[in-house]
Amino acid sequence: MNRQQHRTNDARQRSTLRWIVAIAAVTLVFDGYDLVVYGAVVPVFLRDPSQIGHLTPGQAGALGSYALMGVMVGALIAGAVGDHIGRRRVTLVAIVWFSVAMGLSAFATDLTTFGALRFLTGIGVGALVVTAGALVAEFAPPHRRNLYNAIVYSGVPAGGVLAALLALLSSDGDGWRALFLFGAAPLVLLLPVALLRLPESPKWLLARGHTVRARQVSDRTGVPLPEVTPSRTGERAKVGFAALATRRYALPTLLLGLMSGSALLLTYALNTWLPVIMGQSGYGKSYSLVFLLTLNGGAIVGGLLASRVADRYGPQRVIATTFVLAAAALALLTLGMPFPVLLALVAVAGVGTIGTQVLIYGLVSHYYDTVSRAAGVAWCAGFGRLGGIGGPVVGGALVGAGLPPANAFLVFAGVAVLGTLVTCFVPRRAAERVPARASSATEPLSGGGASVLAHE
């Protein structure tokens, strides 16, 4: 290949990567929006039974878990089919599914209908979470994988910020319906762009034996085809969830699921109940939503900074550290600090909970081979959602019991300590022990794909 062709391919590859990162990030903005918008409107539902019916704190927690049950189902379905039919198809279907279900939620008038639509919305969200991680892992350069992953998954807290801002601007009463109707925007704004600009992964196509299509996509996008290395018998021949049960992946898969469960329990518990808990502490609606903004804003900034450190020193050490930060911040929230200090602690808690989950997705999406990557991310998102399902329920039980708000924060701090311990026991991959500087020197953006598959 001459120098001019090389420059042309580099330009095409950079353009392809930018489009993939942008599309994946926007899809996850609406994941985060869906997560936080429910927490933002829970106080309205508790005050006004005319909206969807009489609601107790315990019922509100259970209702918040319906979407998370859907996320678990959607993630597992996407993991089961994503490694077989490809990332692009799953992404396109999930965008349509999520948008339609979210939009219909705006017209619900009773608890049963609203709960069913929350579950259906979650199915689309779960599929998007899985495919976003798989796409970034297969297109991003190895020495910047954690950074690009953090950019994409920072869409989740960014969506939380968007939901909190719109909730501040919305009126009480039926104002919540407009918030849910806005969640259908990807059907109009995102789907056409994804149809035009989202390619299938050449690495996945090659791994599944579609050599001609892989070469065509490589020529069109400038993404180099990886070198095909001899496969290991037994474990390497297995695709999707079957590969996760092999000796190579069984223990790490269990521990990664527990890591994700800890972080998602904290993420969903705080995003659902933080406005209510702070309201019980004497802060009105506006102040309570400011805490929600701070939680997700801290996750965005802290997650991006932590990802740069993770690219240099490895994600596991950074994840353990952010879990510790979450435990410390949540414990300190029980001490009745001045308002500015409370905001700072909530921001740190955002880094240690939502930001930690961003880093976990990055670790998981790079931990598995191409033929089992979607299944690995699906396990992380699906099994981890068991913790997410428990978050609103645990928060609802603590709030409904009439206990002091400090008790909830102490329980959440204990979960963060558990997450730290689990993280320390996850076996590290051999490829992760290579210093970042060496990786970047040998695996530049224009040619990273070949060496990645060799590592895998």
Side-chain angles (χ1 to χ4, degrees):
M1 181 184 298
N2 61 41
R3 186 171 300 178
Q4 181 61 38
Q5 288 176 318
H6 188 73
R7 282 199 295 266
T8 301
N9 284 342
D10 280 354
R12 288 176 179 171
Q13 185 180 7
R14 285 192 294 270
S15 176
T16 299
L17 179 59
R18 281 194 291 266
W19 277 110
I20 289 170
V21 169
I23 291 169
V26 173
T27 63
L28 293 187
V29 164
F30 284 90
D31 175 9
Y33 180 87
D34 175 70
L35 160 65
V36 174
V37 76
Y38 177 72
V41 302
V42 161
V44 175
F45 291 162
L46 292 173
R47 287 194 306 266
D48 187 356
S50 68
Q51 297 303 318
I52 59 172
H54 180 72
L55 202 64
T56 67
Q59 289 173 321
L63 197 61
S65 295
Y66 293 164
L68 306 182
M69 295 177 189
V71 171
M72 182 173 64
V73 171
L76 294 176
I77 291 173
V81 303
D83 288 319
H84 292 274
I85 69 172
R87 308 1 176 164
R88 173 181 159 86
R89 293 177 185 173
V90 175
T91 300
L92 296 176
V93 171
I95 290 172
V96 175
W97 185 292
F98 164 86
S99 301
V100 171
M102 188 76 171
L104 290 176
S105 299
F107 302 98
T109 57
D110 59 82
L111 288 174
T112 302
T113 302
F114 186 77
L117 288 169
R118 293 295 294 153
F119 176 79
L120 292 174
T121 301
I123 291 176
V125 170
L128 290 174
V129 168
V130 169
T131 51
L135 278 168
V136 173
E138 296 186 356
F139 281 94
H143 61 290
R144 292 185 179 175
R145 280 177 168 179
N146 286 290
L147 175 60
Y148 282 112
N149 183 83
I151 292 172
V152 167
Y153 280 101
S154 288
V156 176
V161 170
L162 177 62
L165 285 172
L166 293 180
L168 279 171
L169 298 174
S170 69
S171 60
D172 286 339
D174 283 340
W176 68 271
R177 298 186 185 277
L179 296 177
F180 278 85
L181 192 59
F182 178 77
L187 192 63
V188 178
L189 302 178
L190 184 61
L191 182 62
V193 178
L195 284 168
L196 290 173
R197 293 291 184 175
L198 186 66
E200 186 54 85
S201 164
K203 183 185 294 186
W204 176 85
L205 289 169
L206 197 62
R208 298 297 290 152
H210 305 299
T211 307
V212 175
R213 284 183 58 201
R215 190 172 293 113
Q216 291 172 344
V217 174
S218 175
D219 292 341
R220 187 174 71 251
T221 63
V223 177
L225 286 176
E227 296 173 0
V228 180
T229 57
S231 64
R232 283 171 276 182
T233 60
E235 292 186 9
R236 188 60 184 266
K238 296 183 178 179
V239 177
F241 284 115
L244 305 190
T246 60
R247 184 173 59 183
R248 181 185 181 196
Y249 284 137
L251 177 61
T253 295
L254 174 62
L255 295 175
L256 290 168
L258 292 173
M259 282 172 59
S260 180
S262 300
L264 285 171
L265 187 152
L266 296 171
T267 295
Y268 283 89
L270 288 174
N271 272 301
T272 301
W273 289 109
L274 186 62
V276 175
I277 292 173
M278 300 313 291
Q280 289 184 344
S281 301
Y283 295 95
K285 173 188 174 183
S286 296
Y287 280 107
S288 296
L289 289 174
V290 166
F291 283 115
L292 208 55
L293 276 169
T294 303
L295 180 77
N296 287 277
I300 296 172
V301 176
L304 289 172
L305 292 175
S307 70
R308 297 298 298 270
V309 180
D311 275 327
R312 186 177 180 85
Y313 298 105
Q316 253 175 281
R317 296 178 185 176
V318 181
I319 291 169
T321 302
T322 54
F323 264 132
V324 170
L325 288 175
L330 290 166
L332 290 172
L333 282 173
T334 66
L335 301 181
M337 301 287 191
F339 182 72
V341 179
L342 285 179
L343 285 180
L345 290 174
V346 168
V348 173
V351 178
T353 56
I354 307 168
T356 295
Q357 185 59 29
V358 168
L359 294 170
I360 290 173
Y361 279 134
L363 170 63
V364 171
S365 61
H366 305 139
Y367 202 94
Y368 296 94
D369 295 343
T370 296
V371 293
S372 58
R373 179 165 288 132
V377 180
W379 168 261
C380 175
F383 181 85
R385 247 53 181 199
L386 291 176
I389 291 167
V393 174
V394 170
L398 293 170
V399 171
L403 299 173
N407 289 43
F409 288 133
L410 289 175
V411 171
F412 298 152
V415 174
V417 172
L418 175 63
T420 305
L421 295 175
V422 172
T423 303
C424 293
F425 286 99
V426 175
R428 295 181 65 192
R429 291 189 64 186
E432 291 175 354
R433 300 188 183 101
V434 179
R437 288 173 184 254
S439 295
S440 62
T442 59
E443 298 167 335
L445 176 63
S446 60
S451 54
V452 176
L453 196 60
H455 279 172
E456 294 177 348

